[in-house]
Amino acid sequence: MTVIDAQGLVKRYRTGGQTLYALAGIDFALEAGEFVSIMGPSGSGKTTLLNILGLLDTPTEGTVLLEGQDVTGLGDSKRTALRKRTIGFVFQHFYLLPTLTAVENVEVPLLLDSDPKVTKRARRLLERLGLGDRLDHKPDELSGGQKQRVAIARSLINSPKVVLADEPTGNLDSETGRQILDEFRRIADEDDVAIVAVTHDDLVNEYVDRTVHLVDGTIGRERKNGR
Amino acid sequence: MAGRFFPAALMARRNLTRTKMRSLLASLGIVIGVVAIASLGMFGVALQYSFTQNLGNVGNQLTVYPNSGENITELTERDIRTIRREASPTATVSPVKTRTEPVSYNREDAVREQIYGVEDPAALYEAKEGRVSPFRSGALVGSNVAEEHDLHPGSQITVNGTSVRIRAVLEEGDPFSSTNPDNRIIMPATSFSQRGYSEVYVIESTGTRANETAMGIRDALNDREERVFVQELGSLVDTIEEQFQIINTVLAGIASISLLVAGISILNVMLMSTVERREEIGVLRAVGYQKRDVLKVMLMEATLLGFLGGIAGVILSVGAGLAINHYAVGDAMAVFRLPNAWYVGAAFTFGVLTAIVSGLYPAWKAASEEPVDALRG
Ligand SMILES: Nc1ncnc2c1ncn2[C@@H]1O[C@H](COP(=O)(O)OP(=O)(O)OP(=O)(O)O)[C@@H](O)[C@H]1O
Ligand SMILES: [Mg+2]
């Protein structure tokens, strides 16, 4: 089943009389349970694409279908509600809230709903990611890999259809990176969650189903993994 | 757990404890503002209270004078009868004659003094020394006169060349009352040759009755011409109390300037914190927080700052109020009177409101930031 189907995406920025094409016509479809990596040089439009797929940003041209629904023209409030329901983000710099414990950080997306089951679910997610003994630690008491795992748990708390990760292994050593990638693979296979990871790290490509190469806002050659 | 039911409050509280010193200083402004408003308000109330205490019970008195503007110099027996008729049966009506005579004390040179002629001084005055009634001859003197000239019952003064014996020194009167005897020499009305009266005191049982009587007297005597002028001390008291009200309001107004300053400092703190937390707020928006959710969290922080400062301010204000009332009224417990509660409550409310209003702009700014921009770093 196709979770996201983006057609003819164009993102234009006008700066000081110049027009810059961050994305210059991109088609991108994502199946449930698929793990896709996006690679490309700096400034090629990776983050821009991820933001548009995650309903954080809107394309200048083109359409985005989320589970068959056209979400291109939606306003901020509707997009925000959809993000909350269907999308999980893992940010490059983790962006955990320093004042909250690991469990509370995982709860954050659903914190305002006052649902008593959320805390239990957050604990289970952290335990599954091997952080059962770090539940009540603040981010500054956690290592980089542990923080990243908390961030992954947070992206999963709302049972998303899609997880979008920007450089998820960027700050990690290869050992910790592998743990994280194993985790993504498992989430994709077991929970049928589609995962898009922007990366510069070739390690990632050992785990993904396919890799999309971006060059100057267009899709370059695509490589299917023989998995 | 509070965080369960007020998750926004949980986040807000944690954020405030992140920069404890800064939050403390920001709410200190609110503390000062609340204390300033509350204690200046309570100071005004205490001032007013001690004034009314000194004023004593004058609201039920009225004084009728002949209207010299209409060339009426004295009140006749008929006027007195009318006044007695208008006054309620239980009222004390004391017509007073006056004349000016050369008076000498202790064989010094005579000075011209006003002499008051009162028929039944026992109805108005009590003696500090000696006896007021019976009063057929001699003179009564007020406490200031007695003190100045060292007079006691039995002392002699000379009035218009005749020796007069002091019968009594009178108890001090209310300072604002027109019957106040402190500076007066009083002699029996029978010793006066003129027939007319220069003023009439009416003392009713209540202020309302005094007011009704005043209107009755005006109706009866000022029918064709303005014969008399009726002075009601009650309305004078009202006027003075209105003045106090104005003073109180001005004081509270001055104190609110400190709240303004407090508001600006909260605005500043919140703006700093939105800049510092730009990315965090971007994350919140990315994971599905609506603009109004971010607004809620930020406003909750401002509200908490306001409550914190407000509560501390109220506690300090009550302490300050105890001291103010101890010194101004002589009764520290007088702080627990209704008008004080009003000022403390108003100060608290203004404190919290100031914090919330100051938080509005930073909260709005934080909420309206595009998450994509915030997260680009
Ligand atoms: N708000 C903006 N205004 C103007 N130009 C922008 C804006 N956002 C992005 N760009 C431009 O769009 C292009 C693509 O940016 P993007 O962030 O997607 O690159 P990226 O592939 O993620 O790069 P990196 O690997 O360095 O993160 C860049 O040239 C960037 O300068
Ligand atoms: Mg990028």
Side-chain angles (χ1 to χ4, degrees), chain B residues 115-122 125 131-141 164-168 170 185-192:
Chain B
I115 308 287
Y116 288 77
V118 181
E119 263 164 31
D120 181 17
Y125 305 122
R131 300 186 51 174
V132 176
S133 66
F135 189 46
R136 274 183 287 283
S137 62
L140 310 173
V141 290
V164 174
R165 198 179 139 86
I166 304 298
R167 298 269 163 197
L170 299 175
I185 301 168
I186 297 166
M187 292 177 68
T190 46
S191 69
F192 282 63

Coordinates of all heavy atoms in Angstrom, one line a residue, chain B residues 115-122 125 131-141 164-168 170 185-192:
Chain B
I115 N -17.8 84.8 74.4 CA -18.4 84.1 75.5 C -19.7 83.4 74.9 O -20.4 83.9 74.2 CB -18.9 85.1 76.6 CG1 -17.8 86.0 77.0 CG2 -19.5 84.3 77.8 CD1 -16.7 85.4 77.8
Y116 N -19.8 82.1 75.2 CA -20.9 81.3 74.8 C -22.0 81.2 75.9 O -21.6 80.8 77.0 CB -20.5 79.9 74.3 CG -19.6 79.9 73.1 CD1 -18.3 80.4 73.0 CD2 -20.2 79.6 71.8 CE1 -17.6 80.4 71.9 CE2 -19.5 79.6 70.7 CZ -18.2 80.0 70.7 OH -17.5 80.1 69.5
G117 N -23.2 81.4 75.5 CA -24.3 81.2 76.5 C -25.1 80.0 76.2 O -25.7 79.9 75.1
V118 N -25.0 79.0 77.0 CA -25.7 77.7 76.8 C -26.7 77.5 78.0 O -26.3 77.6 79.1 CB -24.7 76.5 76.7 CG1 -25.4 75.2 76.5 CG2 -23.7 76.8 75.6
E119 N -27.9 77.1 77.7 CA -28.9 76.9 78.7 C -28.7 75.7 79.5 O -28.7 75.7 80.8 CB -30.3 76.9 78.1 CG -31.1 78.2 78.1 CD -32.3 78.2 77.2 OE1 -32.9 77.1 77.0 OE2 -32.6 79.2 76.6
D120 N -28.4 74.6 78.8 CA -28.3 73.3 79.6 C -27.0 72.6 79.1 O -27.0 71.7 78.4 CB -29.5 72.4 79.3 CG -29.4 71.1 80.0 OD1 -28.6 71.0 81.0 OD2 -30.1 70.2 79.6
P121 N -25.9 73.1 79.6 CA -24.6 72.5 79.1 C -24.4 71.1 79.5 O -23.7 70.3 78.8 CB -23.5 73.4 79.9 CG -24.2 74.0 81.0 CD -25.7 74.2 80.6
A122 N -25.1 70.6 80.5 CA -25.0 69.2 80.9 C -25.4 68.3 79.7 O -25.0 67.1 79.7 CB -25.8 68.9 82.1
Y125 N -22.0 68.6 77.4 CA -20.7 68.4 77.9 C -20.6 67.6 79.2 O -21.5 67.6 80.0 CB -20.0 69.8 78.2 CG -20.1 70.7 77.0 CD1 -20.7 71.9 77.0 CD2 -19.5 70.3 75.8 CE1 -20.8 72.7 75.9 CE2 -19.6 71.1 74.7 CZ -20.2 72.3 74.7 OH -20.3 73.1 73.6
R131 N -18.1 70.5 88.5 CA -19.5 70.0 88.1 C -20.1 70.9 87.1 O -20.0 72.1 87.2 CB -20.4 69.8 89.3 CG -19.8 68.9 90.4 CD -20.8 68.7 91.5 NE -22.1 68.3 91.0 CZ -23.1 68.0 91.7 NH1 -23.0 68.0 93.0 NH2 -24.3 67.7 91.2
V132 N -20.8 70.3 86.1 CA -21.4 71.1 85.0 C -22.8 71.7 85.5 O -23.1 72.8 85.3 CB -21.6 70.3 83.8 CG1 -22.3 71.1 82.7 CG2 -20.3 69.8 83.2
S133 N -23.6 70.8 86.2 CA -24.9 71.3 86.6 C -25.0 71.2 88.1 O -24.4 70.3 88.7 CB -26.0 70.5 85.9 OG -25.9 69.2 86.4
P134 N -25.7 72.0 88.8 CA -26.5 73.1 88.3 C -25.7 74.2 87.8 O -24.6 74.4 88.3 CB -27.4 73.5 89.4 CG -26.6 73.2 90.6 CD -25.8 71.9 90.3
F135 N -26.2 75.0 86.8 CA -25.5 76.0 86.2 C -26.3 77.3 86.1 O -27.0 77.6 85.2 CB -25.1 75.6 84.8 CG -24.1 76.5 84.1 CD1 -22.9 76.9 84.7 CD2 -24.3 76.9 82.7 CE1 -22.0 77.7 84.1 CE2 -23.4 77.7 82.1 CZ -22.2 78.1 82.8
R136 N -26.2 78.1 87.2 CA -26.9 79.3 87.2 C -26.0 80.6 87.2 O -26.4 81.6 86.9 CB -27.9 79.3 88.4 CG -29.2 78.7 88.1 CD -30.2 78.7 89.3 NE -29.8 77.8 90.4 CZ -30.0 76.5 90.4 NH1 -30.6 75.9 89.4 NH2 -29.7 75.8 91.4
S137 N -24.8 80.3 87.6 CA -23.8 81.4 87.7 C -22.4 80.9 87.4 O -22.3 79.7 87.3 CB -23.9 82.2 89.0 OG -23.5 81.2 90.0
G138 N -21.5 81.8 87.3 CA -20.1 81.3 87.1 C -19.9 81.0 85.6 O -20.6 81.4 84.7
A139 N -18.8 80.2 85.4 CA -18.4 79.9 84.0 C -17.8 78.5 83.9 O -17.3 78.0 84.9 CB -17.4 80.9 83.5
L140 N -18.0 77.9 82.7 CA -17.3 76.6 82.4 C -16.2 77.0 81.4 O -16.4 77.8 80.5 CB -18.3 75.6 81.8 CG -19.6 75.4 82.5 CD1 -20.5 74.5 81.7 CD2 -19.4 74.8 83.9
V141 N -15.1 76.3 81.5 CA -14.0 76.6 80.5 C -13.6 75.2 79.9 O -13.6 74.2 80.5 CB -12.8 77.3 81.1 CG1 -13.2 78.7 81.5 CG2 -12.2 76.5 82.3
V164 N -15.8 86.4 87.9 CA -16.6 85.2 87.7 C -15.9 84.0 88.1 O -14.7 83.8 87.9 CB -16.9 85.1 86.1 CG1 -17.7 83.8 85.9 CG2 -17.7 86.3 85.7
R165 N -16.6 83.1 88.8 CA -16.0 81.9 89.4 C -16.1 80.7 88.4 O -17.1 80.5 87.8 CB -16.8 81.6 90.6 CG -16.1 80.7 91.6 CD -17.1 80.5 92.8 NE -17.1 79.2 93.3 CZ -16.2 78.7 94.2 NH1 -15.3 79.6 94.7 NH2 -16.3 77.5 94.6
I166 N -15.0 80.0 88.2 CA -15.0 78.8 87.3 C -15.7 77.6 88.1 O -15.3 77.3 89.2 CB -13.5 78.4 87.0 CG1 -12.8 79.5 86.3 CG2 -13.6 77.1 86.0 CD1 -13.4 80.0 85.0
R167 N -16.7 77.1 87.4 CA -17.4 75.9 88.0 C -16.8 74.6 87.6 O -16.8 73.7 88.4 CB -18.9 75.9 87.5 CG -19.7 77.1 87.8 CD -20.4 76.9 89.1 NE -20.8 78.2 89.6 CZ -21.2 78.4 90.9 NH1 -21.1 77.4 91.7 NH2 -21.6 79.6 91.3
A168 N -16.4 74.5 86.4 CA -15.8 73.2 85.9 C -14.9 73.4 84.7 O -15.0 74.4 84.0 CB -17.0 72.3 85.5
L170 N -14.1 71.5 81.2 CA -14.8 70.5 80.4 C -13.9 69.4 79.8 O -12.8 69.7 79.4 CB -15.7 71.2 79.4 CG -16.7 72.1 79.9 CD1 -17.4 72.9 78.8 CD2 -17.7 71.4 80.8
I185 N -15.2 79.7 76.5 CA -15.7 80.1 77.9 C -17.2 80.1 77.8 O -17.8 80.7 76.9 CB -15.2 81.5 78.3 CG1 -13.7 81.5 78.3 CG2 -15.8 81.9 79.6 CD1 -13.1 82.9 78.4
I186 N -17.9 79.3 78.7 CA -19.3 79.2 78.6 C -19.9 79.7 79.9 O -19.5 79.5 81.0 CB -19.7 77.7 78.4 CG1 -19.1 77.1 77.1 CG2 -21.2 77.5 78.5 CD1 -19.2 75.6 77.0
M187 N -21.0 80.6 79.7 CA -21.7 81.2 80.8 C -23.2 80.9 80.7 O -23.7 80.6 79.6 CB -21.4 82.7 80.9 CG -19.9 82.9 81.3 SD -19.4 84.6 81.3 CE -20.3 85.2 82.7
P188 N -24.0 81.0 81.7 CA -25.4 80.7 81.7 C -26.1 81.6 80.7 O -25.7 82.8 80.6 CB -25.9 81.0 83.1 CG -24.7 80.9 83.9 CD -23.6 81.3 83.1
A189 N -27.0 81.1 79.9 CA -27.7 81.9 78.9 C -28.4 83.1 79.5 O -28.6 84.1 78.9 CB -28.7 81.0 78.1
T190 N -28.9 82.9 80.8 CA -29.6 83.9 81.5 C -28.8 85.2 81.7 O -29.3 86.3 82.0 CB -30.1 83.4 82.9 OG1 -29.0 82.7 83.5 CG2 -31.2 82.4 82.7
S191 N -27.4 85.0 81.7 CA -26.6 86.2 81.9 C -26.4 87.1 80.7 O -25.7 88.1 80.7 CB -25.2 85.7 82.4 OG -24.5 85.1 81.3
F192 N -27.1 86.6 79.6 CA -27.0 87.4 78.3 C -28.1 88.4 78.2 O -29.3 88.0 78.5 CB -27.0 86.4 77.1 CG -25.7 85.8 76.9 CD1 -25.1 84.9 77.8 CD2 -24.9 86.0 75.7 CE1 -23.9 84.3 77.6 CE2 -23.7 85.4 75.5 CZ -23.2 84.5 76.5

